[in-house]
Amino acid sequence: MISISLNNERRECDANLALAELLPLWGFECEKIAIAINGDFIPRSQYGDLRLNAGDQVDVLAPVQGG
Amino acid sequence: MKQNQDNLTLYGQTFHSRLLIGSALYPSPAIMREAITASGSEIITVSLRRQSPSEAGGEGFWQQLKSLNKTLLPNTAGCHSVKEAVTLAQMSRELFETDWLKLEVVGDDYNLQPDPLGTVEAAEQLIKLGFKVFPYCTDDLVICQRLRDVGCQVLMPWGSPIGTGRGLMNPYNLQTIRERIPELPLIVDAGIGKPSHAVQAMELGYDGILLNTAVAQAGDPVLMARAFRDAVTAGRQATLAGAMPERQTASPSTPTLGMPFWHQQ
């Protein structure tokens, strides 16, 4: 297990799982979110292959009202 | 020109309405829907924020948006650096499935003034990445020219700081931008508080108005949305019609020939 930051909250996760496998465990649906890791955009096409590293900062964003 | 031929073209897309409207700060989702519909706007600004799974990935808002069937203009509100803005833009493009982007790079938190240098740099990077950038910028002619030079095909100088409702702080600057950049659509974005402000901007020759708070925070947002719809139309028609020249002295409108009670002495 490794420790990462998910939307600025500490989480423990299995380093062997791909991002696409972690997201449902965290309660997210891939098609309704966009992701950045350590400030860099991660295209949806990479979720299946990408594995997190300890200390990664993951931002999971969804649509909101804007001006 | 007939009104029905007077369309607004932005990055090759044609719109009947010249009012762009935000989706934030309404008293309720239902009032947001009703006000946006009443405004006649065809372009709505949206954003992205961190969400917890319990909020179902913004599903409720997303469904509201889709039901309105409008063109979406995602923003990068709150970004303080070029990197933040570029990253958020890429996330928006994937999620909202549009390459349109309202670029905001905040330079100062007190008045949310755009960072002019950061905005130009971010615009240049984003255009190279294929975005169609709508830069929110200050009413600075040279910054507007730089944004044009890096490839922005629409410019959106502020009227006054976001959410202040103070109207056009510097009409001279806005007019100068209009005169010096006649080839691009110009939209006054931010600071509009009353329909008269929108009329004033349109009478300066601006092509459109982008606002949010003035409608969302009005006593009756739906009624105010209609007022802004009509104001933008009035200002646009006034520009097309051509206003009379101002005069220093009075000039009677009623004929003086045949004036009664006057007799040669």
Side-chain angles (χ1 to χ4, degrees), chain A residues 5-8 11 26-36 38-45 47 58-67, chain B residues 22-25 32 45-53 56-59 61-62 65 75 83 87-88 90-92 94-96 102 104 210 212:
Chain A
S5 170
L6 174 64
N7 284 350
N8 204 33
R11 291 270 185 145
W26 292 335
F28 292 111
E29 295 180 49
C30 294
E31 66 274 14
K32 294 173 181 168
I33 54 172
I35 291 183
N38 301 324
D40 292 320
F41 168 60
I42 305 298
R44 199 172 289 152
S45 58
Y47 293 180
V58 182
D59 281 290
V60 180
L61 307 190
V64 296
Q65 300 85 348
Chain B
S23 55
L25 301 174
M32 176 195 78
T45 51
V46 293
S47 198
L48 288 181
R49 284 292 181 269
R50 286 172 170 166
Q51 296 259 315
S52 68
E59 179 66 14
F61 177 63
W62 186 233
L65 273 184
N75 69 30
K83 179 173 171 54
T87 298
L88 192 57
Q90 293 172 301
M91 298 170 85
S92 291
E94 181 178 75
L95 199 48
F96 291 114
K102 174 181 166 180
E104 299 183 50
L210 198 166
N212 189 157

Side-chain angles (χ1 to χ4, degrees), chain A residues 3-4 8 16 24:
Chain A
S3 179
I4 59 104
N8 204 33
N16 295 315

Side-chain angles (χ1 to χ4, degrees), chain B residues 108-155:
Chain B
D108 186 282
D109 282 326
Y110 178 72
N111 61 357
L112 296 178
Q113 180 166 337
D115 173 348
L117 306 180
T119 302
V120 173
E121 186 180 338
E124 186 167 22
Q125 288 188 25
L126 288 165
I127 288 165
K128 286 177 181 169
L129 291 170
F131 284 89
K132 297 180 170 66
V133 177
F134 294 63
Y136 167 59
C137 56
T138 50
D139 52 7
D140 183 289
L141 171 62
V142 177
I143 290 300
C144 286
Q145 290 171 325
R146 295 291 179 271
L147 288 165
R148 174 198 61 192
D149 294 345
V150 299
C152 293
Q153 296 178 27
V154 181
L155 302 173

Side-chain angles (χ1 to χ4, degrees), chain B residues 24-32 35 215-222:
Chain B
L25 301 174
Y26 294 88
S28 71
I31 292 175
M32 176 195 78
V215 166
Q217 300 283 285
D220 183 337
V222 177

